[in-house]
Amino acid sequence: MQTLHDVIILGAGPAGLTAAIYTARARLDTLVITGPMVGGQIALTYQVDNYPGFPEGTTGPELVGLMRAHAERFDAAFLEAEATAVDFSSSPLKVYVGEKAYEARSVIVATGSVNRRLGLESEERLMGRGVFVCATCDAVLYEGRRVVVVGGGDSAVQEALDLAKFAREVLIVHRRDALTACSCLTQRARENERIAFIWNTVVEEILGERRVEGVRLRDRETGEQRTLDCYGVLIAIGWDPNTALLQGQLNLDEKGYVATGTGVDTSVEGVFIAGDINDRRYRQVVTACGSGCMAALEAERYLGEGGVKSP
Amino acid sequence: MSKVIELQAASWEREVSRVEEPVVIDFWHQMCGWCLKLNPVFDQLPERFESVKFAKMNVLESTENRSLAMENGVMGTPTIKVFCEGRDIGEIIGFRTLEDLESDLREILDKRLNCLGKSTPLES
């Protein structure tokens, strides 16, 4: 017989894991469908220096392991799989992994965000062959080389700083004439001798057949094009909410963010959101955990008030 | 049962260049989340292939390892490369499930059957 879970949580980053700790501790039957990576983006971050309670800092994978163990202590169940579809049109709510349906009285969606891409064919073809999105993962392989960083926000500048520990020259290519990153990062980047800036410029093409050999740039003011030799291209132009699964199920805005009143509720009763999926501004582990907690408390309240109403 | 060996740059000649069977190497490091996810998958490969050697090289363990990875065109982690008598005959970049990894690897190895034949000399 099909198990009816109290809560299904989609995603096992800090938001999903925190929600699981709360709902499982509240003795709600909780199933976490993890998605591609337990821990989400924090699992891909080596050093975490600003999560409270770790004065010496910790690593992303370690923090994820502790959060998961914490949720499992209260008997949250984990399914390491990717949800392929959801059906929120009737109760119970349904989450599909391939053909198999999982049913729940409430769902917390914490599927996070995905790296925005330039949308070039060359970008996909050369991914892992000089195009990359994570300096923490790959900076060491660019030692002594020239690397272009595309973007101008916090993540672009942080990635550039991480890269500059190894790369000979880091060129930040930004479409505006000033960084949008916070002043602390901007200051550090400006003081770093290995980092330089190319303003008002966009990357039109990444050059190279089997590996990156350069980029074709276009100046947005003059329209002038030029090529620049480089060994790597790091893309850091922001994040998009990972809401493809929710199309047609929840009200989304034109950018794919979930329409919400309280920050964690949605257009369907019993369905809540948490974490980077709807965070346009902060994107911190601790804020993801905070909203995971909020979503869990709302789910608990909803189920306590009688649970399954027709959405 | 064959196991995955931990490869160091210093033993490259002995473990990779001078062996007759194909050598499949996972270039990885402990700060890379997808590498950590791939590790247990990669560990299951030896039991699925005969006459193929499997190794992992941690690119952060020494500057020699890092340089060797860079010389061999590793530009992201995890990258799996297949060598035949020291020659690079194919690569798989990024995480794969066990089934996908096995099939992608067979595709690379099938193209180079002469490497499995052992007695067939390869052009230098």
Side-chain angles (χ1 to χ4, degrees):
Chain A
M1 202 184 97
Q2 175 74 46
T3 304
L4 177 63
H5 300 282
D6 292 322
V7 187
I8 287 179
I9 296 170
L10 299 181
L17 292 172
T18 303
I21 291 168
Y22 272 76
T23 57
R25 184 166 179 266
R27 296 180 178 276
L28 298 173
D29 176 305
T30 301
L31 173 67
V32 181
I33 300 179
T34 63
M37 172 71 80
V38 175
Q41 289 178 29
I42 199 67
L44 303 175
T45 306
Y46 186 64
Q47 190 68 24
V48 179
D49 267 334
N50 53 7
Y51 190 75
F54 293 85
E56 306 301 320
T58 181
T59 67
E62 186 186 358
L63 193 55
V64 167
L66 291 170
M67 287 183 186
R68 178 174 180 161
H70 198 161
E72 285 175 330
R73 179 184 146 210
F74 298 121
D75 296 329
F78 282 77
L79 175 67
E80 293 201 16
E82 283 186 64
T84 49
V86 295
D87 181 358
F88 296 156
S89 63
S90 61
S91 58
L93 304 161
K94 293 182 192 64
V95 175
Y96 292 88
V97 175
E99 297 292 307
K100 186 164 170 51
Y102 295 84
E103 295 183 346
R105 298 162 68 207
S106 73
V107 171
I108 296 172
V109 186
T111 48
S113 55
V114 290
N115 290 99
R116 193 173 296 152
R117 301 284 170 85
L118 295 168
L120 304 171
E121 177 276 327
S122 51
E123 176 187 28
E124 294 306 313
R125 178 166 47 81
L126 296 169
M127 186 60 68
R129 295 177 167 89
V131 177
F132 60 121
V133 294
C134 172
T136 303
C137 304
D138 296 328
V140 295
L141 298 168
Y142 294 82
E143 187 176 33
R145 309 285 188 166
R146 173 195 271 174
V147 181
V148 162
V149 172
V150 190
D154 281 353
S155 58
V157 178
Q158 182 61 60
E159 301 280 1
L161 287 163
D162 288 344
L163 258 175
K165 293 171 191 161
F166 298 94
R168 167 174 53 85
E169 189 179 5
V170 178
L171 299 169
I172 297 180
V173 174
H174 189 35
R175 63 198 168 98
R176 301 173 201 265
D177 61 2
L179 297 174
T180 52
C182 69
S183 56
C184 56
L185 288 173
T186 303
Q187 180 73 13
R188 283 172 57 200
R190 287 188 179 284
E191 287 170 358
N192 192 309
E193 288 180 351
R194 294 185 181 187
I195 297 177
F197 301 89
I198 301 175
W199 303 112
N200 292 313
T201 298
V202 291
V203 172
E204 290 225 309
E205 192 66 85
I206 299 169
L207 307 171
E209 278 303 312
R210 291 205 66 245
R211 65 170 197 80
V212 169
E213 291 170 7
V215 285
R216 190 170 73 239
L217 303 176
R218 180 173 57 83
D219 187 305
R220 292 179 73 222
E221 286 181 337
T222 64
E224 188 186 333
Q225 292 194 2
R226 64 177 171 124
T227 60
L228 179 72
D229 291 343
C230 63
Y231 186 78
V233 179
L234 189 149
I235 314 288
I237 53 173
W239 304 87
D240 287 318
N242 194 11
T243 51
L245 200 62
L246 308 174
Q247 295 280 349
Q249 298 289 329
L250 298 179
N251 289 346
L252 306 177
D253 70 13
E254 69 283 356
K255 289 188 170 171
Y257 286 94
V258 178
T260 177
T262 63
V264 297
D265 67 348
T266 70
S267 52
V268 175
E269 277 191 54
V271 178
F272 304 93
I273 49 170
D276 278 9
I277 188 172
N278 239 40
D279 187 344
R280 295 169 172 82
R281 194 173 177 87
Y282 301 107
R283 301 181 188 284
Q284 302 298 301
V285 182
V286 71
T287 54
C289 292
S291 73
C293 161
M294 289 158 62
L297 293 176
E298 293 299 332
E300 196 181 330
R301 188 191 311 247
Y302 166 76
L303 294 170
E305 284 170 356
V308 186
K309 300 168 192 166
S310 289
Chain B
M1 195 183 74
S2 59
K3 291 239 171 69
V4 176
I5 62 165
E6 299 285 336
L7 184 65
Q8 305 297 335
S11 53
W12 182 268
E13 274 291 308
R14 190 180 72 242
E15 301 282 6
V16 183
S17 301
R18 291 192 197 152
V19 291
E20 288 179 333
E21 69 264 38
V23 186
V24 180
I25 305 173
D26 173 16
F27 292 90
W28 76 289
H29 64 86
Q30 67 278 10
M31 287 162 64
C32 149
W34 290 109
C35 299
L36 298 177
K37 191 174 161 89
L38 182 66
N39 269 346
V41 178
F42 191 83
D43 288 342
Q44 295 174 62
L45 289 174
E47 60 199 56
R48 296 184 176 223
F49 290 85
E50 277 184 24
S51 305
V52 179
K53 187 169 171 177
F54 289 88
K56 280 182 201 166
M57 177 175 272
N58 183 332
V59 300
L60 285 187
E61 198 162 317
S62 65
T63 49
E64 290 78 14
N65 283 7
R66 183 162 82 219
S67 302
L68 200 141
M70 289 178 71
E71 282 163 22
N72 281 285
V74 176
M75 303 179 87
T77 48
T79 289
I80 294 170
K81 279 189 166 277
V82 186
F83 292 88
C84 201
E85 295 190 339
R87 279 187 310 146
D88 180 349
I89 62 165
E91 67 184 5
I92 298 165
I93 294 173
F95 177 79
R96 301 280 196 288
T97 62
L98 182 58
E99 285 66 35
D100 288 350
L101 186 54
E102 181 179 354
S103 103
D104 289 354
L105 195 51
R106 286 204 190 282
E107 201 172 303
I108 293 172
L109 292 168
D110 285 351
K111 286 182 192 160
R112 297 286 169 162
L113 274 177
N114 55 350
C115 204
L116 291 166
K118 292 190 177 180
S119 58
T120 311
L122 294 159
E123 71 274 21
S124 56

